[in-house]
Amino acid sequence: MASSISSLGIGSGVLTADVIDQLKEADEAIIIAPIESKITLNNQKQDSQELLTSLMKTFKASASALSYDTIFENKTVDVSGSAEVSVEAGAAVESFTLETVTLAKKDIVKLGAVATEATSVASDNGTLEIKIGADPLNPDQTLNIEYTSGMSLSELTQAITDEAGDSVSASVLQTADGAFNLVLTSKNTGEDFALTISDTSGFLDAALFDAYDSVTNPNGYEKVQTATDATFKYNGITTTRSTNEVSDLILGLNIKLKEEGDISNVDVSLDTEEITGELQQFTDSYNTLISNIQDMTIKDSETGAEGVFNSSSFVKSISRELSDIITSMSGDNDSLVNYGIDLDRYGTMSFDKSVIDTKLEDDPDAVKLFFTGGTNSYGTEVAGIFETLDDKLQDYTGYGKLLSNFKTELETEGTNLSKSHLSATESLEARYAIMEKRFTAYDSIISQINSQFSSLQMIIDAESS
């Protein structure tokens, strides 16, 4: 107690500081302690609400992943043969054979050799003409390379690169001692990129255009490789493309032809691993959520265990609403049980991967319709099971939705309890401040009375003597 009542009881022997402490402790037990217990419980509820919201959002993420039809767009491809095939989302599930007859090739022309790169190849100013196209008489493109008198082989090569570098690659290749050839290569494959080269002015070194002969002119002018289209058979149907990389044959498939004469068997199938993986994640997150809700709402009369939300009808309703959707039947009397998802009598979810694997193999479109919704065989729009579940979870987890409002209620309750605790504490302190003053005054009066009585007692004793 304060020093002002440290002498209490001297006069009365009754109105002591201990008495005030005992009275105050009794009032605190009746008035303050219950509020503090409610504050502690409210703090526990707010912590549990944060956990509940987090678990609900995790579960919603799993349901959302299964509610979008994009999860059924992922495909895998298996190829037996040398062709390379990659698959993109949206590709159709199918199997086919791919026979490569001829590969697409670039056009390669080797001009005749001169002694060195620095050798002059032009006697006067003129023009080197390069036609690009399958028909030289009607080319798709004509490039005119201007050359000057005294220009060397390397300078001519650079002039071609400067003017025609986007379409033609020019380089000097030493093919033998004292033999340097200018090699022109089309940048693209296919017949439409065949090269036809001519000196329209006639001032270039004649050696550049002297025809190849294995005996008399082994380093002469020759068409090293003729531009050709790729020819291949798709399921026996002959098809041509200007390139060996084909992306417009089948939607979502990129094919790269690698070897002439190759026969590749291609099998495009649904990537079921992602779907089954998401279903397992869905199962795990549901069980974690429900287990925590059960702990939060438990009230066991035998053990005395009570969850922080054992009296909350709102929290209890969550597991009931979710289980109602999960076990619901569609208009076609279909349910998640038929896809490997089931709940036992304790509310625990199980997932049988073999069941969904069989479903996906037999009829992936039916699985997609049940999961994500769409138009059924009768032309009716139906909602998917995971679409419905995702919408329900959005009602809980969305901004300003049920869990957000629940959080606000708990925070408001906590604020009010703190105010009540402060008000009750201040009121109790004020009451006992007044009581302290009264006890001090009463004790002083009793002390005076005791003193007066002692004097009277001495007078009485004296008279008696």
Side-chain angles (χ1 to χ4, degrees):
M1 294 301 292
S3 58
S4 60
I5 61 172
S6 60
S7 60
L8 270 179
I10 295 176
S12 65
V14 176
L15 304 179
T16 64
D18 288 341
V19 172
I20 291 180
D21 286 341
Q22 291 171 8
L23 291 172
K24 188 175 182 180
E25 288 176 1
D27 278 345
E28 287 176 340
I30 296 172
I31 299 171
I32 304 299
I35 299 176
E36 290 178 340
S37 296
K38 291 180 180 179
I39 290 175
T40 299
L41 179 59
N42 178 265
N43 289 333
Q44 293 172 345
K45 286 182 177 181
Q46 291 196 48
D47 290 341
S48 296
Q49 185 276 332
E50 290 291 340
L51 174 60
L52 178 60
T53 298
S54 176
L55 294 174
M56 287 284 281
K57 288 181 177 179
T58 299
F59 182 55
K60 183 183 183 303
S62 295
S64 294
L66 291 161
S67 69
Y68 297 116
D69 56 11
T70 52
I71 196 172
F72 290 89
E73 298 299 316
N74 297 319
K75 307 297 191 302
T76 60
V77 60
D78 181 62
V79 182
S80 64
S82 63
E84 293 181 5
V85 181
S86 62
V87 62
E88 298 176 356
V93 173
E94 63 174 304
S95 298
F96 58 90
T97 60
L98 198 65
E99 180 181 352
T100 304
V101 180
T102 59
L103 291 173
K105 298 179 180 66
K106 295 180 178 180
D107 207 76
I108 304 175
V109 178
K110 175 173 70 71
L111 273 63
V114 295
T116 69
E117 289 185 83
T119 299
S120 174
V121 294
S123 60
D124 202 345
N125 298 339
T127 303
L128 176 69
E129 184 180 74
I130 301 177
K131 295 179 179 180
I132 301 176
D135 182 4
L137 298 179
N138 187 28
D140 296 323
Q141 185 180 11
T142 300
L143 301 170
N144 293 309
I145 314 301
E146 303 297 330
Y147 58 82
T148 58
S149 178
M151 181 177 278
S152 68
L153 182 66
S154 63
E155 289 173 335
L156 178 60
T157 302
Q158 186 60 51
I160 295 172
T161 299
D162 293 341
E163 180 65 29
D166 292 339
S167 304
V168 179
S169 173
S171 62
V172 175
L173 177 67
Q174 183 179 2
T175 56
D177 289 339
F180 290 80
N181 298 82
L182 172 56
V183 180
L184 302 179
T185 306
S186 62
K187 285 290 184 74
N188 299 298
T189 59
E191 293 179 359
D192 289 340
F193 295 94
L195 304 177
T196 303
I197 302 166
S198 59
D199 178 15
T200 57
S201 301
F203 297 122
L204 288 175
D205 190 335
L208 296 178
F209 297 95
D210 283 346
Y212 165 83
D213 185 280
S214 61
V215 178
T216 62
N217 192 19
N219 297 314
Y221 178 98
E222 66 174 320
K223 177 82 76 167
V224 177
Q225 179 173 283
T226 301
T228 58
D229 288 340
T231 303
F232 58 94
K233 294 180 180 180
Y234 166 73
N235 281 342
I237 302 172
T238 300
T239 309
T240 62
R241 293 291 187 276
S242 63
T243 175
N244 296 312
E245 297 183 6
V246 182
S247 59
D248 61 349
L249 181 67
I250 304 171
L251 179 66
L253 285 188
N254 299 306
I255 301 168
K256 188 172 184 179
L257 306 175
K258 300 288 288 183
E259 181 181 345
E260 292 182 354
D262 170 68
I263 299 177
S264 295
N265 294 309
V266 183
D267 182 30
V268 181
S269 58
L270 180 67
D271 183 3
T272 62
E273 290 301 316
E274 182 175 358
I275 298 172
T276 56
E278 288 292 350
L279 283 170
Q280 185 60 62
Q281 178 63 38
F282 172 81
T283 301
D284 295 341
S285 58
Y286 177 82
N287 286 334
T288 301
L289 170 65
I290 296 303
S291 176
N292 277 272
I293 290 178
Q294 290 173 345
D295 290 341
M296 293 175 185
T297 57
I298 190 174
K299 187 169 185 178
D300 193 322
S301 58
E302 294 183 3
T303 64
E306 289 189 6
V308 292
F309 293 131
N310 71 83
S311 60
S312 172
S313 58
F314 167 70
V315 177
K316 290 179 179 179
S317 69
I318 294 175
S319 56
R320 182 175 61 254
E321 288 197 339
L322 296 182
S323 64
D324 285 347
I325 295 175
I326 291 169
T327 58
S328 64
M329 300 287 288
S330 71
D332 296 328
N333 292 323
D334 206 359
S335 74
L336 278 172
V337 173
N338 298 328
Y339 299 85
I341 297 290
D342 198 7
L343 296 178
D344 64 18
R345 62 192 184 95
Y346 301 106
T348 301
M349 182 180 288
S350 61
F351 170 53
D352 188 341
K353 182 176 179 296
S354 63
V355 176
I356 187 65
D357 281 342
T358 301
K359 282 280 190 179
L360 289 170
E361 183 178 355
D362 292 343
D363 193 349
D365 289 337
V367 179
K368 178 180 177 181
L369 179 65
F370 181 70
F371 279 21
T372 68
T375 305
N376 63 17
S377 58
Y378 303 105
T380 304
E381 283 292 322
V382 295
I385 183 69
F386 289 107
E387 182 183 11
T388 301
L389 184 58
D390 187 49
D391 289 342
K392 172 56 68 175
L393 290 168
Q394 180 64 25
D395 290 340
Y396 282 100
T397 60
Y399 178 75
K401 298 294 185 176
L402 296 175
L403 283 171
S404 178
N405 294 336
F406 187 48
K407 178 182 180 180
T408 301
E409 291 174 5
L410 292 174
E411 290 175 342
T412 301
E413 180 186 73
T415 299
N416 292 336
L417 286 172
S418 295
K419 290 179 179 178
S420 297
H421 182 269
L422 178 61
S423 176
T425 301
E426 290 176 345
S427 176
L428 202 62
E429 291 294 338
R431 180 193 305 177
Y432 278 90
I434 295 171
M435 184 180 295
E436 172 188 325
K437 293 177 180 180
R438 288 178 177 174
F439 269 38
T440 301
Y442 293 157
D443 193 64
S444 176
I445 293 171
I446 293 173
S447 178
Q448 292 175 10
I449 293 174
N450 286 341
S451 177
Q452 292 172 359
F453 181 76
S454 295
S455 298
L456 178 61
Q457 185 65 49
M458 289 175 63
I459 295 173
I460 292 174
D461 290 344
E463 289 296 326
S464 298
S465 300

